[in-house]
Amino acid sequence: MARLIGGIGTSHVPSIAAALDKGLRNTDEWKPFFDGYIPAQDWAAAAAPDIAVVIFNDHGNAFFLDRVPTLALGVAESYDPIDEGWGPRAVPSFQGAADFAWHLADQMVARHFDPLICRELQVDHGMQVPMELIFGRPAAWPVKVVPILVNTIQYPIPTPQRMWELGRVLRAAIESWPTDEKVVVLGTGGLSHQLQGARAGYINPAEDRKWIADIGPNPARYRDMTREDYVEVFGSEGAELIMWLVMRGAMDIQVKTLFRHYFAPASMTGAGMVLLENL
Ligand code: DHB
Ligand code: FE
């Protein structure tokens, strides 16, 4: 059977991609942020997963406000990085784990999750950035991918409890997949930020640090919070953090937090990462 070898939660802020594109990796401003990912990159290189399931939201790039799927699943053979308006990026196309994705589609529907099934999809910074943070800038990605897209853009967004349950379904799908493939799950988004409205610019580093410390050992509070709690505590776009719950729900109740990293930002967004393993 396939095996879940780890869960990673990470920000997917687009300025991370811009910093890489502009060669700012080692500047005083960015080096502490990127250096915090080195242990996760080393872990991924050593663990050599075959498949990365990436949970993220599209930001009005593949879908717009005329059609907003609450939940979408990619079953394509490949995914091109989408041009978000600054021109094509030097990021290779992603090879899809199409067979496993169809199995996951079947298992999701069997367990009453009904995603929009995408045979063609371009992926934005929500997936590009986490993949670059964990796997660097290879000529070809070392893993196949399965994108799971969650609407965190336009209310009503799904509940945190539902995201956790989706993680349980994902785990069952991995463990009923009859190969010996190794799977890593990446939950993306956050940390605290708000890009709109009266609280535009809001971040909450204290709650971000608590999240990074507790999402491994003490996730119950985060599973039980309402959507409105997420908006209040983490900001309207910080509510993207519900997507980490898919990753956390897929893991065992007891996990080991191998690495954690928080970058106290001089920008609009709290940024960070955790890497979890089952015991
Ligand atoms: C921004 C966009 C994001 O998708 C995100 O998660 C954080 C920040 C931004 O445009 O600043
Ligand atoms: Fe985002």
Side-chain angles (χ1 to χ4, degrees):
M1 293 301 145
R3 196 158 48 91
L4 174 60
I5 62 164
I8 297 173
T10 177
S11 304
H12 63 217
V13 188
S15 54
I16 298 167
L20 289 172
D21 289 352
K22 292 180 186 164
L24 303 178
R25 161 74 180 77
N26 290 315
T27 59
D28 291 347
E29 189 187 0
W30 282 100
K31 191 173 184 317
F33 171 75
F34 286 112
D35 281 357
Y37 281 79
I38 292 172
Q41 293 178 341
D42 290 346
W43 175 89
D50 300 291
I51 297 174
V53 178
V54 187
I55 302 105
F56 68 104
N57 62 295
D58 177 73
H59 301 75
N61 292 302
F63 309 121
F64 199 59
L65 297 183
D66 54 344
R67 296 180 183 90
V68 183
T70 302
L71 201 53
L73 172 67
V75 296
E77 296 290 344
S78 71
Y79 304 91
D80 287 337
I82 204 164
D83 179 351
E84 296 184 48
W86 291 277
R89 304 188 57 233
V91 172
S93 287
F94 301 91
Q95 190 185 352
D99 291 350
F100 173 66
W102 278 113
H103 170 69
L104 177 58
D106 178 61
Q107 291 298 299
M108 284 172 68
V109 174
R111 304 219 359 213
H112 308 146
F113 282 85
D114 309 312
L116 174 73
I117 293 181
C118 303
R119 305 179 79 136
E120 281 185 12
L121 185 69
Q122 290 183 303
V123 293
D124 75 3
H125 67 269
M127 179 156 145
Q128 293 176 32
V129 166
M131 290 293 289
E132 291 179 88
L133 285 171
I134 305 303
F135 298 104
R137 277 280 179 99
W141 298 105
V143 288
K144 296 183 190 177
V145 299
V146 177
I148 298 179
L149 295 95
V150 176
N151 167 38
T152 58
I153 287 285
Q154 174 70 42
Y155 272 72
I157 67 173
T159 64
Q161 297 76 38
R162 190 90 174 128
M163 295 292 94
W164 185 282
E165 283 305 311
L166 177 57
R168 301 309 304 156
V169 172
L170 172 58
R171 174 69 175 273
I174 292 168
E175 296 194 336
S176 60
W177 179 236
T179 69
D180 58 4
E181 287 171 304
K182 293 182 281 184
V183 181
V184 64
V185 177
L186 273 61
T188 82
L191 277 62
S192 62
H193 63 297
Q194 173 140 349
L195 304 176
Q196 57 181 319
R199 290 201 311 170
Y202 168 88
I203 64 171
N204 191 336
E207 286 292 341
D208 284 345
R209 288 180 199 281
K210 244 189 254 178
W211 171 275
I212 292 286
D214 281 349
I215 192 67
N218 302 305
R221 171 190 168 210
Y222 299 118
R223 186 191 55 208
D224 294 342
M225 280 166 60
T226 66
R227 295 171 291 180
E228 292 76 13
D229 293 335
Y230 271 82
V231 173
E232 193 173 320
V233 174
F234 295 109
S236 55
E237 281 69 37
E240 288 178 344
L241 281 173
I242 64 169
M243 295 182 292
W244 289 39
L245 297 180
V246 182
M247 176 280 287
R248 187 64 189 85
M251 302 293 292
D252 287 354
I253 286 295
Q254 304 279 346
V255 294
K256 182 168 50 171
T257 302
L258 281 189
F259 303 109
R260 54 191 226 204
H261 172 46
Y262 183 66
F263 185 61
S267 74
M268 298 272 285
T269 311
M273 182 268 297
V274 297
L275 169 48
L276 310 177
E277 271 184 357
N278 290 328
L279 293 175

